[in-house]
Every structure is written in structure tokens, then in C-alpha cells.
């Protein structure tokens, strides 16, 4: 009679840990985190900062640092950056507001990039099969800094979406964060100045900042339209031909 096969101790725990750490389990965790963050945004409405203002007991450098940290967390939770930039200018003025907004932008981008890279990349990369998806992934992977700099300079691409798309690609942390910090300055400055000068809508600073926002938005729409039509005109890459097995004289036969 055969002896029963004894399973090594800890095999069940090992299988459970592998299942929990599998790519799709991590992707499910990322989806749950993002859904929770979006729900918190809807419930707490951080845009009320534009109406209620910053708590009066918080002031000085500590308030600017705290706002920068909150800014980063909010952008990772899909809060639109224009609202936060306007609030930064209205609460702290141009210089301190710009510093807090840029720091929060880089922080929020880093949080989103890390979450997407750790929890979503392994599950999503095998799904990059369409022509557009492959083209975007190849551009971000090969020309990470240049591509991300262009995305940040021209508004129109949602901030959180760009972060998670970059995380799925093979772009490195350094070019991603550096391009985010540099490329976000012009548009962020325009919104911060507009927020700080909102009480004087006829002032030159307010009019210039609003003009820059409008012009940059139109330029981004034009570039996106041209890229879209150029991508449509590009023929799809040909599938590699299957190898043929020669038979007959001079050909090796399979056993």
C-alpha cells in the first residue's frame, strides 16, 4: 500500500502569499485604493478651500508645508490641479503659493507613479496590445523625460492619468519626477497668479495669467489633434511571418 504523500509545512501559507502578491491581486488593491480616494474627495470636497479659506490657526511656513503635503495627497486622489493651484495663490500669494503647488505636484506625481509601478505594472503591461497603446508605451519608455516634459508643458492630459500611464511604462523615476517638476512650472504659475490676483480681475497680472491659460489650452488641443490624425495615418506594423519548414530535396526532415 502506498504511503500518503505528506505536503511540506507552510505550503498553504506559501500559496496564499503568492495569490495575494500576484499581479492581479495587486491591481485589485490599487483599484480599491483609488476608489476609496475618489470617494473621500467627493465626501470632503477639498475645493471648499476656495470659499472657506485656510484655517486661521495655521500660518507661516508650517502652513505652506502642510498645504504642499495635502496638495500631493489630493492630486493622487484625482483632485483637479487647477483648483489646488488657484487655492495656493489665493491662500499664500504668488511666491509661497507657487512653491507649495510645485512641491505638491512633484509629491503627488511620485505617489501616483509608485502606486502604479508597484501595484499595477505587472498586470497591465501584458494588455498593451493596441497600436495606440503600444505607441504611447514605446514613446514613454524610450523618451521618458522628453515625452513627460511635453505632457506637463501642454495641458489637456489629466494629471493622474499621465502619472499612472507613465508608471505602466518602463520610464525611470528620475526623468519622470524631473520632467514633472520643470514642465509643471509655467502652467502652475499662471493658475497661482490668477488665484492671488482674483480680487483684482482687471489687473495686468490677472489678465496675463488668464491669457496664458487660454493660449496654452488651445495650443495643447491643436497639438493633440495633429498627433491623433498623424497616428491614424500611420499604417499598423506588419505581423512577423511564420517560419516555413522546407521539404523536398536538400531540406532536413523532422524526425
Amino acid at each position: 500500500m502506498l504511503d500518503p504523500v505528506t505536503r511540506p509545512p507552510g505550503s498553504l501559507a506559501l500559496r496564499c502569499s503568492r495569490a495575494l502578491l500576484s499581479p492581479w491581486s495587486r491591481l485589485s488593491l490599487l483599484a480599491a485604493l483609488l476608489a476609496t480616494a475618489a470617494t473621500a474627495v467627493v465626501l470632503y470636497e477639498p475645493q471648499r478651500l476656495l470659499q472657506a479659506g485656510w484655517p486661521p490657526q495655521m500660518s507661516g511656513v508650517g502652513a505652506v508645508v502642510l498645504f504642499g503635503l495635502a496638495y500631493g495627497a489630493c492630486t493622487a486622489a484625482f483632485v483637479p490641479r487647477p483648483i489646488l493651484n488657484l487655492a495656493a495663490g489665493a491662500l499664500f500669494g504668488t511666491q509661497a503659493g507657487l512653491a507649495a503647488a510645485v512641491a505638491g505636484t512633484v509629491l503627488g506625481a511620485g505617489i501616483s507613479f509608485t502606486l502604479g509601478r508597484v501595484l499595477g505594472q505587472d498586470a497591465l503591461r501584458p494588455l498593451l496590445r493596441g497600436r495606440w497603446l503600444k505607441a504611447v508605451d514605446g514613446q514613454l519608455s524610450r523618451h521618458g523625460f522628453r515625452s513627460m516634459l511635453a505632457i506637463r508643458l501642454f495641458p489637456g492630459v489629466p494629471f493622474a492619468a499621465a502619472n499612472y500611464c507613465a508608471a505602466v511604462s518602463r520610464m525611470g523615476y528620475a526623468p519622470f519626477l524631473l520632467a514633472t517638476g520643470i514642465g509643471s512650472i509655467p502652467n502652475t504659475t499662471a493658475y497661482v497668479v490668477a488665484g492671488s490676483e482674483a480680487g483684482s480681475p482687471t489687473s495686468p497680472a490677472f489678465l496675463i495669467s488668464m491669457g496664458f491659460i487660454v493660449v496654452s489650452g488651445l495650443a495643447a488641443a491643436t497639438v493633440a489633434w495633429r498627433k491623433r490624425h498623424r497616428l491614424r495615418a500611420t499604417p499598423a506594423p506588419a505581423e512577423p511571418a511564420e517560419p516555413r519548414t522546407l521539404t523536398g530535396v536538400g531540406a532536413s526532415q523532422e524526425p
Side-chain angles (χ1 to χ4, degrees):
M1 184 174 180
L2 298 176
D3 294 333
V5 178
T6 59
R7 295 182 178 178
S11 58
L12 179 61
L14 181 60
R15 289 198 301 271
C16 291
S17 63
R18 287 179 177 175
L20 291 175
L21 295 178
S22 66
W24 285 102
S25 296
R26 285 179 284 156
L27 182 62
S28 301
L29 176 59
L30 176 61
L33 289 175
L34 297 181
T36 303
T39 303
V41 168
V42 173
L43 293 177
Y44 290 99
E45 299 179 355
Q47 63 270 19
R48 288 182 298 178
L49 282 173
L50 293 173
Q51 301 174 352
W54 196 250
Q57 62 271 20
M58 297 181 183
S59 59
V61 178
V64 176
V65 173
L66 182 60
F67 182 86
L69 296 175
Y71 187 115
C74 287
T75 54
F78 303 105
V79 176
R81 287 182 60 247
I83 295 177
L84 298 174
N85 292 333
L86 291 172
L91 295 174
F92 304 108
T94 301
Q95 295 182 356
L98 179 61
V102 172
T105 297
V106 176
L107 175 62
I111 293 174
S112 302
F113 190 86
T114 301
L115 289 175
R117 178 61 55 88
V118 174
L119 299 179
Q121 187 189 47
D122 292 340
L124 293 177
R125 280 203 65 82
L127 303 179
L128 300 178
R129 297 175 182 175
R131 183 177 63 180
W132 284 23
L133 293 177
K134 286 184 177 181
V136 172
D137 175 67
Q139 185 71 19
L140 291 174
S141 299
R142 292 191 299 269
H143 311 288
F145 177 81
R146 184 176 67 187
S147 302
M148 188 53 56
L149 184 64
I151 291 174
R152 301 308 192 195
L153 285 174
F154 292 97
V157 180
F159 182 74
N163 296 335
Y164 290 109
C165 288
V168 175
S169 72
R170 301 191 186 279
M171 183 189 303
Y173 271 89
F176 171 77
L177 295 178
L178 186 60
T180 296
I182 297 175
S184 299
I185 291 177
N187 196 259
T188 302
T189 302
Y191 276 98
V192 170
V193 171
S196 64
E197 299 292 334
S200 304
T202 58
S203 63
F206 182 84
L207 295 177
I208 292 174
S209 63
M210 292 303 298
F212 178 84
I213 292 171
V214 173
V215 171
S216 62
L218 292 176
T222 303
V223 171
W225 182 81
R226 293 182 62 183
K227 289 287 186 182
R228 180 170 176 264
H229 282 267
R230 186 179 302 175
L231 185 59
R232 278 186 172 182
T234 303
E239 296 291 336
E242 295 183 0
R244 297 180 179 179
T245 303
L246 299 177
T247 57
V249 180
S252 59
Q253 300 289 337
E254 292 290 337

